[in-house]
Amino acid sequence: MTERLVIIGNGMAPGRMLEHLFELAPGRFRVTIFNAEPRVNYDRIMLSPVLSGEKRFEEIVIHGDGWYVANGITLYKGHRIVAIDRVAKTVTSSHGVTEPYDRLVIATGSSPFILPVPGKDLAGVLSYRDLDDVEAMILAAQAGVKAVVIGGGLLGLEAAAGLRAQGMAVSVVHLMPTLMERQLDPAAGYLLQKALEKRGIEVITGATTRAIRGETRVEGVELADGRIIEAGLVVMAAGIRPSADLARDAGIAVGRGILVDAQMATSDPAILALGECAEIGGRVYGLVAPLYQMAEVAARSLAGAPGKGFAHSDTPTKLKVTGIDLYSVGDFADGEGRDEIVLRDAAAGVYKRLVLKDNRILGAVLYGETADGGWFGDLLKKGADVSAMRDTLIFGQSYQGGAPLDPMAAVAALPDDAEICGCNGVCKGKITGAIVAGGLTTIDDVRAYTKASSSCGSCTGLVEQLMSLTLGAAFNPTAVKPICPCTDLGHGDVRRLIVAKALKSIPAVMQELQWKTSCGCAKCRPALNYYLIAEWPGEYVDDKQSRFINERVHANIQKDGTYSVVPRMWGGMTTAAELRAIADVVDKFQIPAVKCTGGQRIDMLGVKKEDLPAVWADLGAAGMVSGAAYAKGLRTVKTCVGTDWCRFGTQDSTGLGIRIEKFMWGSWTPAKVKMAVSGCPRNCAEATCKDVGVICVDSGYDIHFAGAAGLDIKGTEVLCHVATEEEALEVIVALTQLYREQGHYLERMYKWLKRVGMESIRAAVVEDREKRLAYFERFRHSQSFSQKDPWAERASGRVAAHEFRPMAELGLREAAE
């Protein structure tokens, strides 16, 4: 019999718990979730990159709406639970919904601590806990006000760095003498402060906030020593408290948080608690690694297969601020019987400190060079005796034995259970196993399959070392990273920074991203041109000089210097008038060759460059537009005759093909895109070797994608099945827009799929309709600027006519003059 599982809270911990639970006990529970936030589950630790502009919210969503539907979960968004009736076994939401449960999980998280000072309720005072806070801060940044962040801990510094990245003047006010005093010792805190000040962030330590000044909204922050700091925005990041009031009101045992045992059970056996609201062994947790451990334990408990239970272990601290490398783990305070090993390199800004007792590591603080953090943490976790390597311990694992060893030796020596990605709790064995089993060859492959390196990214170097160790010479990360020799940045970084820094011209990109050459090259300029036109439709002005010859002249250059012209025939259909117009053009301009293409179009070969505008004018007069047979964009939609003529056709494949082509023509994509629609599984339109293909069946439409029939031969993958033509168009357009936003320039769709993984694509355009519609709308918006026939523009002579004028013929006398 299906049991009723109700979850209060929809954060990362309960989301991970459900993933485990569905694997352990599929179908056992009917799940209902109440979420106080009006949105789906997202990666809260990635709010800082959203604030800094390095990521969008859609990129940090963990489970889209489709995931809840696929797993039969009822999700109440924006419903805060106000009461738990343990006798009736029900919960009641602020909207009046009462839901019965057999098992209840409380995952209410934590609440920000707001300093009880005058002015704390003024407009412009924010906390930093959820997406609403981030959006409010971004709006404040656009207003150009100055920000003060109260709190120099992990969260406060990430907020300060994010606001600074948004262009705000930022001051950090911190009560203690050094920053992050709970995670760093004074020396590392000093280096951190210098790094932040170098970025233009003012840091005031040892400062007590007396009041927040202002009448109706924030005007400044007053310190206890009388100083007043001007501010239009104040961010409180002074700590968090477990949200346990709901449990307390229900009579559940509560200390600092909701008291739970090692199996995450509360004082009521029917109720579990996990996440930041839970207290176990006298501790409450705010880092993701222990929360994910709680999630796994809770899932086993619910599935009736309890294991060894939750066990405390020291969790490393990392700061998610780009360019600042710090790592700390364990207890690094001074104490009797403890000694330390310290390495300082002032010029390089490197500081390392290990605290030991009885030749075992108790704590480690690393700043500036953190590659050995995982190794030190593993030695600490295992309580390893380091006496044999004490003299060289501080130099890291590569130097054990007194001489530098192969850098891979350090990661090779890590055991399979060594944790590599703290954000997602991924160990070495899982990564290497996935690389071998899945044939993974890129860092994006590993992210897609294991989630390692997919959150804060601080473990990326370690994951790359594992890939190098596992794949050997087959893995060459440097070969795929930079776009070209003009930059050290890869395609993904460039796209991300174009958005983050709101760069809207090629010179701006090159200046802000420190291009090594003055004007770029033939490899990076077309890529930048595409990224800008895809990101800023209607704002960015296409740079025609950054296009290859075929796109620049809107025809295909042939080996003899002439061009071929391919008019668009919607869905492969044509008329006698169009054929007559083509025949007239062939005769008039003495075009030497006419050929049918593989995409059901007519190709006129051998057109002189200077004749192109006149050819286009005549074709345009017959109602024909450019077939874009040259474009990194939509080229053709091939069709069969479908139900109109075929005895086996199940749907109007020709009509759907025409509809798709008329909706999507003119769009730019990372590489060429060809589509096809077949009216039945006999597949006469060869839809299963296209970038996007549709196979019509009795019950609707099977949508395929990521096929190829060029340099590489590859069959398509099945994306999904939909019932209606409307849904088919919606999915295809959203899929193409996702590819437009994620694809690297010249990366075909099948290579994009291999890089990002099917799971993420399905999650975005199949399972989550809200997200799918957002992609659809962004594509539609871009089309309002792109759907212009380049032939018509140039045939009119208004645009770049000089390109097609023949060079003047000069006699000897004229040339001499």
Side-chain angles (χ1 to χ4, degrees), residues 533 536-540 781 785:
I533 207 167
W536 310 111
E539 295 185 67
Y540 172 69
H781 175 69
F785 306 100

Side-chain angles (χ1 to χ4, degrees), residues 286-543:
L287 298 176
V288 70
L291 303 190
Y292 277 172
Q293 187 189 351
M294 291 182 188
E296 188 174 354
V297 170
R300 287 201 306 266
S301 182
L302 288 169
K308 58 184 179 182
F310 181 89
H312 168 77
S313 63
D314 291 313
T315 303
T317 295
K318 300 168 187 175
L319 184 68
K320 288 178 286 298
V321 174
T322 304
I324 295 181
D325 295 321
L326 65 82
Y327 175 98
S328 74
V329 64
D331 178 3
F332 45 83
D334 294 331
E336 188 175 348
R338 298 182 176 187
D339 52 6
E340 62 181 13
I341 304 172
V342 175
L343 171 68
R344 294 179 191 268
D345 184 340
V350 173
Y351 170 78
K352 299 181 181 181
R353 176 169 171 250
L354 299 175
V355 178
L356 300 96
K357 186 173 184 180
D358 300 329
N359 284 317
R360 286 172 172 77
I361 296 176
L362 292 181
V365 182
L366 311 177
Y367 188 93
E369 187 179 295
T370 58
D372 285 306
W375 182 60
F376 290 134
D378 195 56
L379 292 174
L380 184 152
K381 183 179 178 181
K382 290 182 165 57
D385 187 338
V386 298
S387 55
M389 51 183 165
R390 182 170 176 130
D391 290 346
T392 56
L393 182 64
I394 196 68
F395 300 111
Q397 190 173 16
S398 298
Y399 286 81
Q400 298 317 304
L405 302 177
D406 180 351
M408 290 297 108
V411 71
L414 289 174
D416 280 350
D417 64 351
E419 187 177 79
I420 302 298
C421 175
C423 294
N424 292 289
V426 187
C427 64
K428 174 186 171 183
K430 182 174 181 178
I431 296 170
T432 54
I435 293 170
V436 174
L440 312 183
T441 57
T442 69
I443 187 72
D444 290 318
D445 289 342
V446 173
R447 287 171 178 153
Y449 280 81
T450 70
K451 296 186 179 178
S453 173
S454 63
S455 291
C456 77
S458 58
C459 64
T460 299
L462 206 50
V463 175
E464 286 181 338
Q465 284 184 308
L466 280 177
M467 296 191 71
S468 183
L469 185 71
T470 308
L471 297 173
F475 177 63
N476 184 4
T478 58
V480 297
K481 278 186 175 176
I483 289 180
C484 66
C486 300
T487 178
D488 292 329
L489 296 171
H491 288 271
D493 287 331
V494 169
R495 297 205 73 167
R496 176 173 56 79
L497 291 167
I498 283 173
V499 177
K501 294 176 175 288
L503 306 176
K504 299 185 179 179
S505 69
I506 289 177
V509 173
M510 292 183 175
Q511 177 65 28
E512 294 297 325
L513 304 188
Q514 302 180 51
W515 235 243
K516 295 176 181 177
T517 56
S518 60
C519 299
C521 67
K523 193 172 182 181
C524 62
R525 287 191 69 93
L528 296 181
N529 192 49
Y530 168 72
Y531 295 149
L532 290 164
I533 207 167
E535 195 60 50
W536 310 111
E539 295 185 67
Y540 172 69
V541 178
D542 185 22
D543 180 16

Side-chain angles (χ1 to χ4, degrees), residues 638-640 674-680 682-696 702-708 714-717:
K638 188 175 181 179
T639 65
C640 67
K674 295 182 177 179
M675 300 187 182
V677 184
S678 286
C680 77
R682 288 168 180 77
N683 193 18
C684 292
E686 300 167 329
T688 50
C689 64
K690 303 298 183 187
D691 295 284
V692 180
V694 180
I695 303 293
C696 301
D702 290 337
I703 298 176
H704 298 236
F705 79 117
K714 181 183 177 301
T716 51
E717 307 280 342

Side-chain angles (χ1 to χ4, degrees), residues 164-199:
R164 182 66 186 143
Q166 290 287 346
M168 298 185 81
V170 182
S171 299
V172 174
V173 174
H174 190 49
L175 180 66
M176 303 305 290
T178 57
L179 298 172
M180 290 182 63
E181 75 285 348
R182 294 179 61 188
Q183 293 89 15
L184 301 178
D185 62 13
Y190 167 79
L191 289 172
L192 175 60
Q193 179 172 340
K194 300 291 285 184
L196 291 170
E197 289 173 342
K198 196 172 180 180
R199 291 166 178 242

